Amino acid sequence: VGRVPVRVSLDSLDVGDLKKILAGAEGSVLKQFIRDMEGYGINMTATDNALNEIAKMAEKEGTGARGLVTILEKTLRQHKYELPSTSITEFVLDKQTVVEPKAGLYRLLETTTEDDVMAVRLKDLKRWETKFNRQLLPTTDAWLTDDAINYLILKSLEGDDESAYSFASRHFDDALFATVIKQIYESTSQKLFPISLDAAKDPKAEFRKWLDLLS
């Protein structure tokens, strides 16, 4: 039995189609972002104008519904990274944020108070501690001393709206730090690693001191 070729013509998705997919589809990328934010205790909603703008921008991508993923990823990439490290519990995605994501994030961050900022940055560093310890052997434990925490909070405030969490991850080079601790544990069986003020000020110099003790 031979195959019967069938040809069909497909119309590309227009703005209206893309908006329906964005707002109505059960597994839409927008709903995935909303669920992600809920996981951090943030209630995220989107205005109708924002949905229209996302659909228009996605249409220009010329990749169908995949364009929605591209636009939302560009719009919310930094929000997903920064907002969990703040006291913000409500986030309305509006047209301005879709057009200028970075400016929208800055406007949102400006709504936090100074007390909120300090409390959140402390929580942020504790979150970094938890993440970092997951990279270590179960028998070892590392933590920031009070002096190190105070120093890192102040240093993180010098950055351009960078969270203490992202600052600590970049400042310490987690992978290198974890490797150093593993080497020390394997050589000495040391299990506890307080991260001192000296280590916070110059991590690589302190790592070298730790490794020199093994020589």
Side-chain angles (χ1 to χ4, degrees):
V1 178
R3 294 181 180 177
V4 179
V6 177
R7 294 183 180 179
V8 296
S9 112
L10 299 174
D11 294 327
S12 59
L13 298 173
D14 61 20
V15 172
D17 296 326
L18 290 167
K19 183 180 177 182
K20 287 178 183 177
I21 293 171
L22 186 63
E26 183 56 36
S28 79
V29 65
L30 176 62
K31 291 183 179 178
Q32 291 175 30
F33 273 105
I34 289 173
R35 284 194 291 270
D36 288 344
M37 289 293 183
E38 285 176 351
Y40 295 113
I42 301 170
N43 179 38
M44 174 183 160
T45 56
T47 66
D48 194 62
N49 284 339
L51 299 183
N52 287 332
E53 190 63 28
I54 293 167
K56 289 177 183 176
M57 295 171 73
E59 185 186 36
K60 292 177 182 177
E61 291 286 317
T63 56
R66 287 193 300 274
L68 296 172
V69 178
T70 301
I71 299 304
L72 275 170
E73 282 288 351
K74 288 179 181 177
T75 302
L76 297 175
R77 184 182 298 120
Q78 283 301 110
H79 286 71
K80 278 182 65 178
Y81 196 70
E82 297 291 344
L83 293 188
S85 302
T86 71
S87 58
I88 292 167
T89 58
E90 297 283 339
F91 166 42
V92 178
L93 176 61
D94 56 19
K95 179 179 177 179
Q96 284 180 296
T97 301
V98 176
V99 175
E100 295 182 294
K102 193 171 183 179
L105 176 60
Y106 287 169
R107 285 195 302 272
L108 197 56
L109 294 176
E110 285 173 356
T111 64
T112 58
T113 66
E114 186 173 345
D115 287 342
D116 287 338
V117 168
M118 299 303 287
V120 165
R121 286 181 184 267
L122 174 58
K123 180 181 176 183
D124 233 11
L125 290 176
K126 292 299 181 182
R127 189 162 65 95
W128 173 82
E129 278 184 3
T130 300
K131 181 202 71 166
F132 178 66
N133 273 284
R134 290 197 193 105
Q135 300 179 52
L136 304 180
L137 296 171
T139 49
T140 57
D141 184 33
W143 70 94
L144 294 163
T145 64
D146 290 344
D147 285 344
I149 287 173
N150 291 335
Y151 173 80
L152 291 169
I153 287 176
L154 292 175
K155 291 298 289 184
S156 69
L157 288 169
E158 294 176 2
D160 186 17
D161 291 298
E162 182 178 28
S163 69
Y165 178 85
S166 60
F167 174 79
S169 298
R170 176 174 57 79
H171 184 65
F172 282 108
D173 188 347
D174 290 1
L176 173 62
F177 197 2
T179 299
V180 170
I181 287 179
K182 288 175 184 176
Q183 288 179 5
I184 294 173
Y185 172 75
E186 290 168 356
S187 299
T188 68
S189 298
Q190 180 180 335
K191 297 179 180 179
L192 303 178
F193 294 85
I195 304 170
S196 66
L197 177 60
D198 286 340
K201 286 184 174 179
D202 193 342
K204 289 185 179 179
E206 195 67 11
F207 297 164
R208 284 193 294 270
K209 289 181 185 178
W210 291 4
L211 292 175
D212 286 345
L213 295 175
L214 302 180
S215 305

